[in-house]
Amino acid sequence: MTYIPGDAVTQKVGSNKGIISISEQYDLVKQDEYPVLGDLVLIQTQEVSGVANVQFTDLKGGAIRNYNTLFLTFVNVEGVNDNVDLEMRVHIGGEEQSGASDYSRARRLREGGSGAHQDKDADLHQLKISGELGNATGECLNGYMYIFNHANGFETNFIYSFAQQMYNDVHQNGYAIGGYEHQTEIDGFRLYFGSGNLSGKFSLYGVQYS
C-alpha cells in the first residue's frame, strides 16, 4: 500500500481545473491554433532559380533548436547540367563539414523497366540525396527528407530521404538513409548539385513535439 502524506498535492480524476476544456481545445484545433503532436511548423521557404546552392542556416537559433526533427520538401528542382546528383553537407559553427570520412549512407534506387540498384558507403565527404537527374524538358526532382538530432551534441545526425526524378525519359525513385556523427549542434546545411546551378522550391519545417 502506498502512503500519501496529508499535505501532498493531489489531483481529482477527470478534473481539468486550471487548463482549457476539451471543447476549447477542439475549437483551437479546428482553427489551426492548437499545436498537435506531429504538426509541421513552417520555418522557411526558398524558391530559387539558377543558383549554385540552397542553404538553411541558424538552426540553433530561437525555437528551431527545440525541434528534434526537421522535415524538408523539395519540389520541381531542375539542373542546368545532365546526369547530376543532389548532394548535402552540414554546418557546425557556421563551417561546412567536408572531411573525407564524415558521412555515411545506404541507398536503394528503382528505375522504370530496369529493376533496382543499391549502394552503401561509410566513408563519404557528403551525402547523396538523389542521383542521375536529367536536364531535358520536363525532367525534374521532387522529394522530402527528415533530419533527426540536429540540435543534440554527441549524437549521430540521421537523415532519411525519398526522391523521384526523370533521367533519359525514365522514371526513377530512391530511398536513402544517411548519417553524420557530431559532438556539437548542427546549425545549418547546404544542398547543391555535383555540377551546375539549380532551380526549385525548398521548404523547411519543424515537427511539433518531436
Side-chain angles (χ1 to χ4, degrees):
M1 178 177 290
T2 303
Y3 171 70
I4 301 177
D7 59 350
V9 176
T10 61
Q11 180 179 1
K12 182 180 178 181
V13 176
S15 171
N16 66 344
K17 185 178 180 180
I19 61 176
I20 64 174
S21 68
I22 297 300
S23 60
E24 290 171 332
Q25 177 181 337
Y26 177 71
D27 289 338
L28 288 172
V29 170
K30 286 198 303 182
Q31 299 169 30
D32 200 24
E33 295 180 356
Y34 187 84
V36 177
L37 178 67
D39 272 357
L40 297 179
V41 181
L42 180 64
I43 295 171
Q44 184 184 13
T45 291
Q46 298 186 44
E47 193 160 4
V48 300
S49 178
V51 299
N53 56 72
V54 173
Q55 298 192 56
F56 289 90
T57 59
D58 195 28
L59 300 186
K60 289 169 56 179
I64 301 178
R65 66 174 299 141
N66 294 329
Y67 298 114
N68 289 325
T69 305
L70 302 176
F71 181 72
L72 177 77
T73 61
F74 39 97
V75 179
N76 292 333
V77 179
E78 300 177 340
V80 174
N81 295 340
D82 192 32
N83 190 18
V84 292
D85 301 338
L86 182 65
E87 299 175 348
M88 174 184 179
R89 285 178 176 161
V90 302
H91 298 167
I92 291 181
E95 298 292 328
E96 184 169 301
Q97 305 302 300
S98 58
S101 59
D102 286 347
Y103 303 87
S104 58
R105 181 207 69 209
R107 185 173 71 109
R108 183 173 179 82
L109 176 69
R110 295 189 64 87
E111 295 183 304
S114 61
H117 315 278
Q118 58 190 22
D119 61 80
K120 60 182 179 179
D121 198 327
D123 190 20
L124 298 169
H125 56 86
Q126 82 276 321
L127 285 176
K128 181 186 292 186
I129 306 303
S130 71
E132 300 181 347
L133 175 64
N135 65 346
T137 301
E139 295 189 334
C140 65
L141 168 68
N142 297 278
Y144 61 84
M145 178 194 317
Y146 284 97
I147 302 171
F148 304 94
N149 291 333
H150 77 283
N152 296 323
F154 302 98
E155 295 278 358
T156 297
N157 172 242
F158 289 105
I159 295 169
Y160 170 81
S161 64
F162 170 78
Q164 63 87 20
Q165 70 267 354
M166 290 282 291
Y167 175 59
N168 286 343
D169 252 355
V170 176
H171 284 280
Q172 299 180 335
N173 64 72
Y175 299 86
I177 185 168
Y180 176 81
E181 294 187 6
H182 54 103
Q183 296 184 347
T184 186
E185 296 95 335
I186 291 173
D187 55 14
F189 61 89
R190 180 171 74 97
L191 296 164
Y192 57 96
F193 281 140
S195 65
N197 289 345
L198 59 83
S199 302
K201 184 176 182 179
F202 300 79
S203 296
L204 182 66
Y205 301 82
V207 179
Q208 193 73 262
Y209 299 130
S210 57

